[in-house]
Amino acid sequence: MTTTIDSLSLGATDPGDAKAFYDKAFGLGDRLRLHHSDEPTTGFRGFVLSLVVAEPAVVDSLIDPALDAGAELLKPARRSFWGYGGVLRAPDGAIWKIASSSKKNTGAPLRTVEDVVMLIGAGDIATSKAFYTHHGFEVGKSFGRKYVEFAGGPITLALYGRKAAAKDAGVRPEGEGAHRIRLFTGTATFTDPDGFVYKDS
């Protein structure tokens, strides 16, 4: 049986305030849970959450309300060779990238998220890839030691080098303490090589 991430929960010092932010910013509903956490954490937490959407107008329809609700802009939304997107940090400290592979608007529904990606900044991609395949994750895309994406599930799991992930998010790679995120598989409980905890939902 293939293992997938069914849902995730972000830790926040005030889950009520965090819920109010995310409801206004992204409206992800049941795909995002929140729990109380005051575990010490500093710098880059080793992951980026990405919202994949249809086109640039949809990116803006999510970034603008998030900024109005109190998010910090790390990278303004702009066009690049791969598409269009921007990066922000939520008030709870989690980093979010909102992006589209399209550079043109064709009238897609606004504020509609096609995919949620949990991107782990791995210390060693080969080691992490082997770990996840051993635990039942099926590789969907793999580019050697640079990037791995696993197939299936409500939330896509991907691996990127820690320094590369931090650079792409617009932050320094240094960080220590808790990740302040819980991941639920529905099938198993384990901890990956970078300290991310998976629980049976």
Side-chain angles (χ1 to χ4, degrees):
M1 182 170 61
T2 300
T3 304
T4 61
I5 300 177
D6 296 333
S7 62
L8 58 85
S9 181
L10 287 173
T13 54
D14 189 326
D17 283 353
K19 183 179 186 306
F21 166 80
Y22 285 114
D23 285 347
K24 180 176 181 181
F26 305 141
L28 294 174
D30 294 340
R31 284 184 282 188
L32 177 65
R33 307 183 201 175
L34 296 156
H35 64 272
H36 175 264
S37 175
D38 52 13
E39 297 173 283
T41 184
T42 60
F44 182 45
R45 295 181 186 174
F47 71 92
V48 176
L49 292 166
S50 294
L51 303 181
V52 181
V53 302
E55 59 188 48
V58 185
V59 172
D60 294 336
S61 76
L62 292 166
I63 287 183
D64 292 344
L67 295 176
D68 289 342
E72 172 193 0
L73 187 64
L74 297 178
K75 280 190 172 182
R78 63 178 181 84
R79 285 178 172 81
S80 69
F81 71 92
W82 52 260
Y84 180 88
V87 184
L88 54 81
R89 191 187 339 250
D92 62 84
I95 295 174
W96 293 81
K97 180 177 183 178
I98 300 92
S100 169
S101 60
S102 174
K103 299 179 185 180
K104 295 182 179 180
N105 292 317
T106 59
L110 300 180
R111 296 186 57 75
T112 300
V113 175
E114 296 184 343
D115 194 14
V116 179
V117 180
M118 169 68 182
L119 177 70
I120 291 177
D124 186 297
I125 290 180
T127 298
S128 292
K129 178 183 176 182
F131 175 89
Y132 280 107
T133 55
H134 174 75
H135 281 82
F137 285 80
E138 180 182 342
V139 175
K141 299 177 184 177
S142 182
F143 300 96
R145 292 178 174 269
K146 293 185 177 181
Y147 179 82
V148 178
E149 185 176 295
F150 297 93
I155 296 174
T156 299
L157 173 64
L159 306 173
Y160 203 20
R162 182 181 177 95
K163 289 183 178 179
K167 181 179 180 180
D168 186 59
V171 297
R172 295 181 60 83
E174 295 82 14
E176 58 184 24
H179 297 302
R180 287 197 183 182
I181 190 169
R182 297 172 184 168
L183 303 159
F184 299 91
T185 67
T187 58
T189 297
F190 53 86
T191 301
D192 86 346
D194 294 289
F196 288 93
V197 176
Y198 289 76
K199 295 182 178 292
D200 181 348
S201 54

